[in-house]
Amino acid sequence: MAAQQKNVGILAMEIYFPPTCIQQETMEAHDGASKGKYTIGLGQDCMGFCTEVEDVISMSLTAVSSLLEKYAIDPKKVGRLEVGSETVIDKSKSIKTFLMQIFEKCGNTDIEGVDSTNACYGGTAALFNCVNWVESASWDGRYGLVVCTDSAVYAEGPARPTGGAAAIAMLIGPDAPIVFESKIRASHMAHVYDFYKPILDSEYPVVDGKLSQTCYLVALDSCYKILCNKYEKLEGNQFSIADAAYFVFHSPYNKLVQKSFARLVFNDFTRNASSIDESAKEKLSPFSSLSHDESYQSRDLEKVSQQVAKPFYDEKVQPTTLIPKQVGNMYTASLYAAFASLLHNKHNTLAGQRVVLFSYGSGSTATMFSLKLNEGQHPFSLSNIASVMNVKEKLKSRNELTPEKFVEIMKLMEHRYGAKDFVTSKDCSLLAPGTYYLTEVDSKYRRFYAKKGAENGLANGH
Ligand code: ACO
């Protein structure tokens, strides 16, 4: 049997989000929402979205080719490629097969893996598959590559400001700077109708917004309890929020992240964990007799636990919120964009730290898992990952569009979804050099992409 690989995890990352966005403040005014509803109520600053020349395939082509180029990875050295996405463009052909265009031209067709789909969780499933592969007897010594790609768009109404779009690529292998603590992992899976996409000719989901919030928190509680129990058995002492430097959440909108972290603090209180001091105990004790169900409905508990959690939130969560607040919900990419924000903000001080991540996909599937970080070695070092992702520059160079233009683009995209026989404007003036874009969908629904600044596009089939 092959020796098990050590320190398997994330070696390298690249993030791509569209250069087009809308300020939440202007959307608020345009939608006739009360002032502060999207910015303070949901906690969001800005929302990224694809125009008619971008989609989940073009974004993932951009993220993958940029990762390979910037870390100087030979495409032949990738042995597994997994994609997580809930944006369905084709009910059979995986996004992974579109990405094969990059590898085929280098002579590599020997790459395992396909797409994983369950709402915002598919990326986590893809990531676990790749990590498990590298740790397994089937590993052939090459890299795993995970891509999370989604365009989150909602019909007009209260969910619309919780959209977003991005693709993230992550290279997986042994001796990584971001290592999976695979034994510290807990899942909660259930059958619920909180957010789903049964309307196959529309990109928009059917959402029960309130239910989705509760399902998220129920899954969070369940995962945290199981994770604490597992940790206790393994380490012989209690787990609390004090045992991780940072907590990273799937981020549909920032307010839910604030509430989620406060929920972990409330969990620590009910388990009488040492992280809870006397003053916090005093504030939370009026809620100790609430039943589990009642605790999800209590607005007072929500308020008080957020107050108690605030200083810990500022320290352990706030550094993870930059990209989700600026780009919005990126579905499968959301959790990893939050993690990328942490690397961007704190890469100099992360070595030796534990980071706990919570992945949630409606329907529902959720896992809480732990990562241990070390500086690593160039090019697979925390500081190089932060420098390659270049988050500050990417955010700064975006173009803010008006709400009217955004609505017009959404209308066009509704029309284009599932359509054939059209060419796009091919207007890539707002795209950075090296970005892939959609040029055409032909009469047989075949999609064609080009790369800005490249002489030849990916004219597969043409
Ligand atoms: N100033 C400040 N805050 C305000 C204002 C204002 N003028 N107006 C409203 N608010 C607050 C509300 O009090 C509320 O905050 P609270 O929860 O702390 O009380 C918040 O803004 C949201 O307002 P609501 O009226 O409660 O909710 P709304 O009808 O706008 O819907 C929702 C919000 C449910 C999140 C909706 O956007 C949605 O359905 N989104 C998609 C589903 C989703 O993201 N679910 C999360 C998990 S599943 C997933 O990831 C897809």
Side-chain angles (χ1 to χ4, degrees):
M1 210 171 110
Q4 191 171 10
Q5 299 311 312
K6 295 268 183 331
N7 296 326
V8 176
I10 302 167
L11 293 162
M13 288 175 77
E14 174 60 310
I15 182 165
Y16 175 81
F17 42 79
T20 35
C21 64
I22 175 169
Q23 285 291 345
Q24 291 282 358
E25 210 173 357
T26 50
M27 191 158 36
E28 222 169 60
H30 173 266
D31 294 353
S34 56
K35 191 163 172 47
K37 181 165 183 194
Y38 300 169
T39 47
I40 299 161
L42 296 174
Q44 291 300 109
D45 295 333
C46 196
M47 186 175 85
F49 58 90
C50 292
T51 64
E52 48 118 26
V53 291
E54 292 198 89
D55 63 19
V56 285
I57 296 165
S58 68
M59 289 194 294
S60 50
L61 283 165
T62 304
V64 168
S65 62
S66 176
L67 180 141
L68 296 174
E69 194 181 303
K70 289 183 181 152
Y71 295 89
I73 304 296
D74 177 355
K76 286 200 185 82
K77 294 216 166 109
V78 173
R80 188 172 188 103
L81 170 58
E82 298 250 357
V83 177
S85 181
E86 60 159 292
T87 308
V88 179
I89 285 185
D90 191 296
K91 284 177 271 179
S92 172
K93 185 172 163 55
S94 63
I95 296 171
K96 184 265 177 81
T97 58
F98 285 91
L99 295 174
M100 282 310 298
Q101 295 171 96
I102 293 173
F103 299 91
E104 267 176 85
K105 69 174 185 223
C106 302
N108 184 7
T109 56
D110 176 21
I111 303 185
E112 291 183 6
V114 287
D115 295 2
S116 293
T117 300
N118 189 92
C120 308
Y121 186 83
T124 299
L127 180 58
F128 289 173
N129 285 347
C130 272
V131 169
N132 291 345
W133 176 67
V134 174
E135 286 178 343
S136 78
S138 316
W139 188 53
D140 68 359
R142 292 184 295 162
Y143 297 116
L145 185 55
V146 179
V147 184
C148 306
T149 182
D150 270 305
S151 163
V153 284
Y154 290 92
E156 278 174 25
R160 181 155 266 190
T162 62
I168 292 197
M170 294 179 272
L171 194 73
I172 309 302
D175 305 317
I178 301 161
V179 182
F180 279 74
E181 291 194 291
S182 295
K183 295 257 182 286
I184 309 177
R185 184 191 286 188
S187 291
H188 175 86
M189 310 246 164
H191 171 48
V192 285
Y193 274 123
D194 60 333
F195 164 115
Y196 46 111
K197 292 181 175 168
I199 308 167
L200 297 178
D201 60 359
S202 166
E203 206 174 351
Y204 300 144
V206 173
V207 200
D208 185 335
K210 298 284 167 220
L211 179 65
S212 76
Q213 293 164 328
T214 309
C215 289
Y216 182 110
L217 296 176
V218 168
L220 176 74
D221 280 352
S222 172
C223 287
Y224 191 55
K225 282 198 176 83
I226 300 168
L227 183 131
C228 290
N229 288 339
K230 284 187 180 171
Y231 181 91
E232 223 161 290
K233 280 200 184 112
L234 211 67
E235 301 289 325
N237 50 43
Q238 205 181 31
F239 186 88
S240 76
I241 57 156
D243 290 294
Y246 297 98
F247 287 83
V248 190
F249 296 87
H250 165 56
S251 311
Y253 52 94
N254 179 256
K255 179 63 84 62
L256 190 57
V257 173
Q258 296 172 36
K259 289 182 185 180
S260 297
F261 184 69
R263 198 73 209 179
L264 297 189
V265 170
F266 182 61
N267 270 276
D268 278 359
F269 163 73
T270 57
R271 291 167 47 251
N272 199 20
S274 56
S275 61
I276 303 294
D277 64 21
E278 285 310 315
S279 113
K281 272 186 197 153
E282 208 172 295
K283 290 186 181 125
L284 290 169
S285 60
F287 307 100
S288 55
S289 58
L290 289 181
S291 73
H292 205 56
D293 283 351
E294 283 166 345
S295 74
Y296 297 113
Q297 309 309 325
S298 169
R299 302 285 290 168
D300 290 339
L301 168 59
E302 208 173 78
K303 219 166 87 193
V304 173
S305 56
Q306 273 179 258
Q307 265 168 20
V308 170
K310 177 79 168 70
F312 303 110
Y313 175 90
D314 290 347
E315 181 194 330
K316 290 175 183 285
V317 185
Q318 197 275 337
T320 74
T321 59
L322 174 69
I323 306 171
K325 278 171 77 100
Q326 281 292 328
V327 181
N329 190 356
M330 296 150 268
Y331 290 161
T332 53
S334 162
L335 174 66
Y336 302 99
F339 183 62
S341 307
L342 178 65
L343 294 177
H344 165 72
N345 281 319
K346 297 282 175 186
H347 60 91
N348 285 331
T349 55
L350 285 173
Q353 305 283 18
R354 170 181 289 134
V355 179
V356 168
L357 286 82
F358 175 66
S359 178
Y360 177 79
S362 292
S364 70
T365 55
T367 300
M368 186 175 273
F369 59 101
S370 176
L371 302 173
K372 208 64 186 272
L373 276 54
N374 62 77
E375 178 45 32
Q377 290 207 334
H378 191 82
F380 304 139
S381 64
L382 300 178
S383 46
N384 192 46
I385 296 173
S387 137
V388 162
M389 290 194 299
N390 200 10
V391 169
K392 194 171 169 194
E393 197 50 44
K394 281 178 187 155
L395 286 173
K396 207 175 77 189
S397 58
R398 292 190 299 173
N399 301 274
E400 287 168 20
L401 270 51
T402 62
E404 290 74 21
K405 188 73 193 162
F406 168 68
V407 171
E408 186 189 314
I409 290 168
M410 288 299 107
K411 288 234 153 66
L412 175 63
M413 302 292 255
E414 283 168 26
H415 185 67
R416 289 269 169 89
Y417 187 71
K420 62 174 178 172
D421 228 349
F422 65 87
V423 288
T424 69
S425 66
K426 299 181 191 171
D427 177 2
C428 56
S429 56
L430 297 181
L431 306 179
T435 306
Y436 285 84
Y437 58 99
L438 178 69
T439 56
E440 180 185 353
V441 178
D442 75 4
S443 60
K444 288 179 143 182
Y445 297 95
R446 293 178 303 183
R447 305 175 79 82
F448 301 95
Y449 296 86
K451 186 178 186 181
K452 181 169 175 177
E455 276 175 32
N456 298 311
L458 285 171
N460 183 27
H462 265 195

